[in-house]
Amino acid sequence: MTGVLTTSYPRHPGDLAGAFVRDRVRELVRAGETVDVIAAGDGAEPECGDDGAAVTRVGFAVAGGAALFYGAGGPETLARGGAAAWLPAARFSAGLVAAAREKVARWSRIESHWLLPCGLAACVAGGRLDHRAYAHSGDVALLERLPFGRALARALVFRGAELVFVSEDLRRRFRRLLARADGSHDIDGLDRRLRVEALAIDGELFGLPPQGERERLRRRLALPRPTVLAVGRLVPIKGHHGLVLAVGRLPAIERPTLVILGDGPERNALAQLAARLGVDLRMPGATPRAEVAAVMKAADLLVHPSRRLPDGRTEGMPMAVREALAVGLPVVATALGGVVELAAGPSELALVAPDDAVALALAVKVALHRRPRYACWEARSCKERVAARPWSAK
């Protein structure tokens, strides 16, 4: 049996938080593993989701009722909340260790997602069990900022965990944390112990659509032409504000409809900005993964305009970018983090500088003009913006 420790794990069909962890759990189940998941959330009773894993939730309430690992997400909540958020985070970490210790006797191995707190909790609770610890981005950035982050990084290595990074960029940054003052390392076989491995994509959902499927989905979703899609929490690191600005810079006759799947604290600000700029913005909120895949197959372009935050945090390896490429959807993304590594191979991926609305607008325009079937904006395309819009929530 495999124990999986994670902060976020989907709580309902439309919850994108930790969706890639669920994909990994499903991969383990398909391989014949029995899986115990311990994740943040409310509810004392274990749950069994459609992935076939037993899920136990550990409470995480923070001041004001805000969720620590959902909503805006853990890094954002900790950055804004000060001590009011860090104290519950410490309590959650202790609860995670306690929950793992109750179950560890029946586990043969452990997987953890996010080095802090889950990787460290697995080291404390797991004893000598084989431990694979996945680093996704915010956890490495947190180690870089904490005054004792270097010591924690070394503890993870010396406890024997197999450390897996979703991008080479994250692996390099973690490796720098382990360096001595002169830049050298004193850990034998270090590079063999720090692996880079992208998480698997759900091929049943995110695969090339059969001929005619795009048009069928476009009609079902009542999407106009052209349609630009973004996927992710409505938080600053995703850069959705810059995307709305970029679309607003395009001439009105060439301005695509913008659909953003996800929810978060920037929702109202994005709606107000779009209204001021005359951007047709549709934000249906939390969306089931199957529907995310359907919209990807129907859209004309995915834009992932992520940003580098003032504290230095960037995204690791955005799953939305990899999923879009898997369904054959062209992508425009900012040149940050692991997405740069994706551009090294053959793909329909164009990179632009972060926080540059002019460059982003130009890249969107060029990418849409390259689409074989939607290469120009005719007057009739504007008329296709039908009144019955299932994606019109703002």
Side-chain angles (χ1 to χ4, degrees):
M1 177 177 284
T2 298
V4 175
L5 306 188
T6 178
T7 52
S8 55
Y9 196 77
R11 299 157 296 167
H12 50 78
D15 196 357
L16 293 178
F20 52 86
V21 181
R22 170 167 278 177
D23 287 347
R24 171 60 182 163
V25 167
R26 286 173 172 167
E27 184 182 18
L28 292 171
V29 171
R30 284 194 295 267
E33 295 271 2
T34 303
V35 181
D36 260 348
V37 177
I38 302 178
D42 293 323
E45 294 300 319
E47 59 186 81
C48 188
D50 59 1
D51 48 34
V55 183
T56 300
R57 300 287 181 174
V58 176
F60 59 87
V62 300
L68 180 56
F69 299 110
Y70 301 93
E76 285 80 6
T77 304
L78 291 174
R80 294 197 314 265
W86 280 96
L87 184 57
R91 289 201 298 265
F92 167 79
S93 300
L96 188 65
V97 170
R101 281 177 168 163
E102 288 183 3
K103 297 175 178 291
V104 71
R106 64 186 188 187
W107 293 347
S108 58
R109 56 187 295 273
I110 298 179
E111 281 196 5
S112 62
H113 291 266
W114 290 281
L115 302 180
L116 294 180
C118 299
L120 198 60
C123 287
V124 172
R128 296 295 180 181
L129 287 183
D130 289 342
H131 173 204
R132 170 179 279 202
Y134 283 91
H136 295 285
S137 178
D139 43 1
V140 175
L142 185 58
L143 286 169
E144 290 171 333
R145 296 198 309 274
L146 289 174
F148 47 88
R150 291 179 180 271
L152 290 176
R154 293 179 71 85
L156 285 164
V157 171
F158 285 117
R159 289 298 295 261
E162 177 189 8
L163 298 173
V164 181
F165 302 85
V166 297
S167 71
E168 176 60 31
D169 174 67
L170 288 177
R171 192 192 75 86
R172 284 194 301 265
R173 287 165 55 187
F174 185 86
R175 196 177 188 279
R176 284 198 295 268
L177 285 170
L178 303 174
R180 296 184 293 194
D182 62 359
S184 62
H185 292 83
D186 58 353
I187 302 173
D188 292 337
L190 176 61
D191 289 333
R192 294 194 304 273
R193 301 171 66 182
L194 309 182
R195 298 180 50 197
V196 177
E197 179 183 308
L199 289 171
I201 293 173
D202 186 339
E204 295 181 6
L205 289 178
F206 299 96
L208 290 173
Q211 187 174 6
E213 181 72 358
R214 291 190 189 278
E215 280 302 309
R216 186 189 69 79
L217 288 170
R218 184 180 288 275
R219 287 193 298 270
R220 177 173 75 80
L221 297 168
L223 289 181
R225 297 185 176 120
T227 297
V228 168
L229 173 66
V231 179
R233 290 176 176 175
L234 307 183
V235 293
I237 196 170
K238 297 296 184 180
H240 294 130
H241 181 275
L243 175 55
V244 175
L245 287 176
V247 172
R249 295 187 65 89
L250 295 173
I253 192 63
E254 298 186 357
R255 200 171 292 164
T257 289
L258 176 58
V259 176
I260 304 179
L261 303 183
D263 215 339
E266 289 199 320
R267 183 183 184 87
N268 290 338
L270 291 170
Q272 292 169 10
L273 178 63
R276 179 165 59 84
L277 297 178
V279 173
D280 180 16
L281 173 62
R282 309 182 184 188
M283 295 185 291
T287 306
R289 295 295 301 292
E291 198 72 351
V292 172
V295 182
M296 280 188 176
K297 293 171 184 176
D300 297 305
L301 178 69
L302 180 102
V303 180
H304 196 79
S306 65
R307 308 174 60 236
R308 184 185 302 277
L309 297 183
D311 62 8
R313 184 162 63 94
T314 63
E315 293 195 289
M317 180 62 76
M319 291 294 289
V321 172
R322 297 180 58 225
E323 290 163 349
L325 294 173
V327 304
L329 181 63
V331 176
V332 171
T334 44
L336 286 173
V339 74
V340 178
E341 298 159 33
L342 293 177
S347 66
E348 290 193 80
L349 172 61
L351 298 181
V352 298
D355 292 321
D356 189 337
V358 175
L360 185 57
L362 178 60
V364 168
K365 179 174 180 176
V366 169
L368 289 174
H369 272 293
R370 285 177 176 170
R371 290 293 275 170
R373 300 188 62 183
Y374 316 121
C376 63
W377 286 262
E378 300 175 293
R380 61 182 171 83
S381 69
C382 296
K383 296 178 183 178
E384 289 176 354
R385 301 184 182 210
V386 293
R389 295 175 174 177
W391 301 97
S392 60
K394 294 187 177 182

